[in-house]
Amino acid sequence: MKIVWTIFAALLISSAHAKPVTPLHDRSMEVTWPAGNAGTGKVIFDLTPGKPLFSEISLAGKRIAAAVDPAFVVTVGRRDLLSQNGWNIFFDKVPNRPYQTYLLSVEKSDASVKTEGSRTVVTIGPVSTETFRGRLEITLYHGSPLFNVAAVIATEADAKAIVFDAGLSARPDAWRQIAWINTGDSLVTAPFTASDTARNVPVKYRAIAAAGQEGTLAVFPPPHQYFYPLDEAFNLRFTWYGNNYRGLVKGQGIGIRQELQGDKRFVPWFNAPPKTEQRMNFFCLLGVGGNPAAFAAVKMFTHDDRYVQLPGYKTMSSHFHNEFVMKVMMAGKPVPEKPEFVGVFKQLGVDIVHLAEFHYTADPRGPDDKRLPQLKALFELCEKQSDREVLLLPGEEPNEFFGGHWLNIFPRPVYWVMSRSGQTPYVEDKPGYGKVYHVGNKQEMLQLLKDEKGLAWTAHPRTKGSVNTPDIYNHETFFLSDRFMGAAWKAMPADLSEPRLGKRVLDLLDDMNNWGTKKTVVAEADLFTITQENEMYAHMNVNYLMLDKLPAYKDSWLPILDAMQHGRFFSTTGEVLMPSLKVNGKLSGETFQLPANGKADVALTLSWTFPMHFVEIISGDGEKVYRERIDLNDTEAFGERKFNFSAQLAGRKWVRVEAWDVAANGAFSQTFYIR
């Protein structure tokens, strides 16, 4: 890295490697960084008021952009903190209440540069909008032509909910061409003219690029963190380009955006609690090889929006309310040979798909002449569409008997009805169906899970329809049973101040461990419509189950349930993987003995795309939770490494591991138990 300073005396700039600078005539700062095989990256910052911040952006001696300004458009609304469960609320409709949109104001009276491991951070400020105040942070990642532009802001006010659009703006003749990949997965290019009015574009891979004088600059968001939770994964035109964006961003620009109305169902936006530093950010990737090479490089950060194969693992995703049975099969519509939603999962690289059909669309409580044909259609669909690439498993979100919302899975097709009158037996044989169960209460529900070796778990715990669960039933027989697996994880609610996703459920996992129960947490998607055009990957996650082979539909699925129940898996957004993790030689879900000194050896292999941020070793003693964070600021993009950590676990009863990258993508293990 090289820093060249020319600056007015009135401006203070400091660096981990530099002393105060002799005042010269220009307010400019040049920072270079090693961009790996791409050569050397360079950004010249212009700190003159009224001038674009990025005087020049270049790679390998080729100027890619000049006179470019970062722009942030912030929309501020109000969170409902009263009607449900405070900051964990999902059933909120922020855009139905008054809100206002602002352009972030950027001053350049303070600047600093520091090196943190394999990255250089340039801080400029102050910045402000509405009641929020903060700074800009531009992070240059050594070893890659990648950098991040972030507005880090905080407010003292309560109940704030936000969304943001962002990007880069320039003078009208700065860009020659714009490019993106459309929802049909084809590269599209268009001339960039001064008369272009800003427009919103539906894209795949969440990226848009502009060709500069001698190269291409692609802009894209953190692939999962940028998308607040919704019921639908509709493609809501998450990029923009053109002039005078929203009447606020002057000049010709490209960038990312949010749809304020979301999917027009529940629209919670991002939480912005008081005094939390909200990191509104986007990534820029430089290239000199043209548009196809630029997008190939962008797609590498998410493995082309696909979950990669790992030897000894099979990928599994859960909780999809696609409702194909009721909307197509039972409605008498033509059934395609290959339904679109099955192809979507195959493209994503999901080996095992656990459905959640009949969500307020069918007859779960009977009568039998309606319920049983619906189940039979579901089983036939799953059997017909399962093959060597994907195993489609029937499942439901019953929401009966136990309280709150929950999911179930059996190791084979099971006919059961969620009601039982006094004269109806618990189990009977029915022509055309075989064994049929009728369940009338939570005791019988637990008995069914035992009889058929099924599992149940809390869906979206501590939010949505499970706002008080599993907490209110953590003492009950069904929860304490080994048939009740635990809970499900999703990045909900959204909070840009958090360096990880889904803190709500990770905290619950720690609580369940301290309750003394051996429970697991499986990643869930909780999505409705599944189409090729949707922005599926941003809203998805997956579990890597320790399985050598994929069971056939006609075989027992018990190996899948065993892996889920006993914690033989890790969960991930897809960019961070844990190919191997052992604590004192044991796998997750197993129990180990501590030596006399109380130390445990954590042997972890990680692979990643974005540079890593940190690993955290979390443990508990039955009452308190302890965290040991290991910073990974020395990592570069696209790496794999074996780590060995020595953790002091004296007095602890359990331990687990998380790993997160700079885009808040991550992976987490299940629990290891200490004897």
Side-chain angles (χ1 to χ4, degrees):
M1 179 194 70
K2 180 178 72 175
I3 305 173
V4 178
W5 318 77
T6 59
I7 195 152
F8 279 135
L11 188 66
L12 174 63
I13 296 187
S14 62
S15 167
H17 302 298
K19 297 180 180 179
V21 182
T22 303
L24 296 174
H25 297 294
D26 296 322
R27 298 170 60 94
S28 62
M29 175 172 63
E30 176 184 309
V31 181
T32 65
W33 79 98
N37 294 333
T40 298
K42 181 174 72 173
V43 179
I44 299 177
F45 296 88
D46 190 338
L47 303 169
T48 307
K51 294 287 188 70
L53 178 61
F54 300 125
S55 175
E56 178 185 325
I57 301 172
S58 63
L59 179 66
K62 296 183 181 296
R63 179 181 287 191
I64 293 173
V68 175
D69 242 346
F72 290 86
V73 176
V74 187
T75 302
V76 184
R78 187 166 182 82
R79 165 70 67 245
D80 175 2
L81 295 177
L82 299 177
S83 66
Q84 194 180 23
N85 56 339
W87 293 105
N88 271 346
I89 188 172
F90 173 80
F91 293 144
D92 200 358
K93 298 182 178 181
V94 178
N96 287 5
R97 296 187 291 275
Y99 60 83
Q100 214 161 352
T101 300
Y102 309 85
L103 180 67
L104 185 75
S105 173
V106 180
E107 297 181 36
K108 296 183 282 188
S109 58
D110 296 306
S112 65
V113 181
K114 62 181 177 180
T115 300
E116 296 178 342
S118 65
R119 54 215 65 173
T120 299
V121 183
V122 180
T123 302
I124 294 169
V127 303
S128 62
T129 186
E130 206 243 8
T131 60
F132 291 82
R133 302 290 181 270
R135 64 193 181 276
L136 285 183
E137 287 186 357
I138 298 90
T139 305
L140 313 168
Y141 299 103
H142 302 186
S144 174
L146 178 75
F147 65 92
N148 180 270
V149 182
V152 186
I153 58 174
T155 181
E156 298 285 335
D158 199 13
K160 295 291 186 180
I162 63 173
V163 289
F164 76 96
D165 306 344
L168 299 173
S169 66
R171 62 179 184 265
D173 61 346
W175 314 111
R176 294 185 295 103
Q177 189 184 66
I178 199 76
W180 65 89
I181 296 180
N182 65 19
T183 56
D185 212 11
S186 297
L187 181 65
V188 177
T189 60
F192 212 164
T193 65
S195 61
D196 280 336
T197 301
R199 66 192 68 181
N200 305 329
V201 189
V203 303
K204 282 183 70 72
Y205 312 109
R206 303 154 299 279
I208 193 162
Q213 298 179 32
E214 300 179 274
T216 302
L217 189 154
V219 168
F220 56 98
H224 302 279
Q225 185 193 44
Y226 185 60
F227 297 84
Y228 59 81
L230 295 171
D231 284 330
E232 297 281 8
F234 296 147
N235 192 311
L236 300 174
R237 299 174 178 262
F238 295 112
T239 63
W240 63 271
Y241 78 93
N243 282 298
N244 198 30
Y245 177 66
R246 296 187 68 179
L248 293 170
V249 179
K250 304 305 178 185
Q252 195 179 55
I254 61 171
I256 58 173
R257 63 175 295 273
Q258 286 283 4
E259 180 59 49
L260 300 184
Q261 298 293 332
D263 59 12
K264 297 181 173 61
R265 290 167 63 91
F266 296 101
V267 188
W269 290 8
F270 294 99
N271 288 342
K275 300 182 180 180
T276 59
E277 290 196 327
Q278 299 297 311
R279 187 178 178 86
M280 306 183 303
N281 73 99
F282 61 93
F283 289 91
C284 298
L285 189 65
L286 308 179
V288 295
N291 290 321
F295 282 98
V298 168
K299 291 161 60 177
M300 287 176 63
F301 284 95
T302 58
H303 304 293
D304 292 358
D305 280 14
R306 184 177 175 86
Y307 300 107
V308 298
Q309 293 185 346
L310 281 182
Y313 291 90
K314 296 298 177 185
T315 55
M316 177 262 188
S317 195
S318 174
H319 202 157
F320 296 97
H321 300 300
N322 195 47
E323 302 301 340
F324 187 85
V325 171
M326 296 305 298
K327 290 180 180 178
V328 178
M329 300 175 73
M330 303 306 293
K333 296 180 181 179
V335 179
E337 186 68 22
K338 294 294 181 183
E340 181 181 15
F341 79 95
V342 179
V344 171
F345 289 123
K346 288 184 177 182
Q347 287 186 3
L348 285 165
V350 181
D351 300 318
I352 304 161
V353 179
H354 174 235
L355 298 175
E357 292 283 282
F358 310 142
H359 191 55
Y360 304 122
T361 64
D363 301 277
R365 298 175 61 86
D368 287 12
D369 60 355
K370 288 188 175 182
R371 165 69 168 173
L372 299 182
Q374 292 165 4
L375 283 173
K376 186 173 185 179
L378 174 60
F379 300 152
E380 289 175 349
L381 168 71
C382 291
E383 181 173 12
K384 183 176 181 179
Q385 297 304 324
S386 294
D387 55 27
R388 294 179 180 178
E389 294 181 64
V390 65
L391 175 60
L392 199 62
L393 296 183
E396 297 180 76
E397 186 178 356
N399 303 339
E400 297 280 351
F401 314 122
F402 290 157
H405 287 200
W406 54 279
L407 265 71
N408 79 293
I409 188 172
F410 293 108
R412 67 176 187 87
V414 173
Y415 287 98
W416 66 295
V417 183
M418 300 179 203
S419 66
R420 184 164 80 89
S421 65
Q423 302 302 314
T424 305
Y426 162 67
V427 59
E428 61 180 333
D429 284 324
K430 286 221 166 190
Y433 301 102
K435 187 183 294 185
V436 175
Y437 294 89
H438 290 82
V439 175
N441 54 50
K442 59 188 173 185
Q443 290 81 15
E444 292 176 349
M445 186 67 238
L446 176 58
Q447 189 61 49
L448 171 59
L449 293 172
K450 290 179 177 179
D451 290 344
E452 292 293 340
K453 299 180 181 179
L455 293 175
W457 61 92
T458 307
H460 42 73
R462 295 178 174 174
T463 190
K464 282 193 167 184
S466 301
V467 61
N468 296 315
T469 60
D471 303 73
I472 61 171
Y473 54 58
N474 66 5
H475 61 288
E476 296 205 35
T477 301
F478 71 83
F479 178 81
L480 297 174
S481 165
D482 66 353
R483 296 297 95 198
F484 202 92
M485 187 186 74
W489 175 88
K490 181 178 179 175
M492 178 171 59
D495 187 332
L496 296 168
S497 70
E498 291 288 341
R500 74 194 80 210
L501 302 178
K503 181 177 182 295
R504 165 185 57 94
V505 183
L506 297 174
D507 287 346
L508 171 62
L509 179 55
D510 298 335
D511 289 342
M512 291 191 296
N513 286 330
N514 273 343
W515 294 342
T517 57
K518 290 187 176 182
K519 302 297 180 184
T520 61
V521 161
V522 63
E524 67 175 354
D526 194 4
L527 294 172
F528 288 70
T529 313
I530 314 297
T531 71
Q532 298 284 359
E533 186 173 309
N534 277 5
E535 178 45 76
M536 294 297 300
Y537 185 79
H539 293 275
M540 284 281 291
N541 50 53
V542 78
N543 307 283
Y544 277 79
L545 306 183
M546 297 180 193
L547 295 172
D548 290 325
K549 66 177 183 177
L550 190 66
Y553 184 87
K554 293 183 178 181
D555 296 336
S556 170
W557 318 317
L558 196 58
I560 295 171
L561 276 69
D562 283 345
M564 294 168 62
Q565 179 187 13
H566 297 296
R568 294 196 294 271
F569 65 96
F570 69 87
S571 303
T572 176
T573 54
E575 298 78 12
V576 181
L577 301 176
M578 292 180 170
S580 176
L581 172 62
K582 291 186 177 181
V583 180
N584 277 11
K586 298 292 186 179
L587 298 173
S588 57
E590 297 182 337
T591 301
F592 66 89
Q593 179 77 45
L594 277 175
N597 62 8
K599 290 186 177 181
D601 176 61
V602 180
L604 169 66
T605 301
L606 287 180
S607 66
W608 60 85
T609 58
F610 290 87
M612 289 300 299
H613 192 182
F614 63 91
V615 165
E616 196 159 49
I617 300 172
I618 302 105
S619 61
D621 60 10
E623 294 183 2
K624 296 180 181 179
V625 176
Y626 304 85
R627 298 179 180 276
E628 181 183 352
R629 174 165 159 163
I630 300 101
D631 288 330
L632 299 180
N633 290 338
D634 63 327
T635 57
E636 298 180 355
F638 304 107
E640 181 169 339
R641 188 187 300 180
K642 294 181 179 180
F643 300 91
N644 282 96
F645 307 117
S646 180
Q648 177 52 254
L649 299 178
R652 313 292 163 79
K653 297 183 177 181
W654 56 268
V655 64
R656 62 182 188 84
V657 177
E658 298 177 15
W660 300 92
D661 70 18
V662 297
N665 308 306
F668 62 91
S669 79
Q670 295 303 299
T671 306
F672 299 76
Y673 302 98
I674 303 172
R675 186 177 298 111

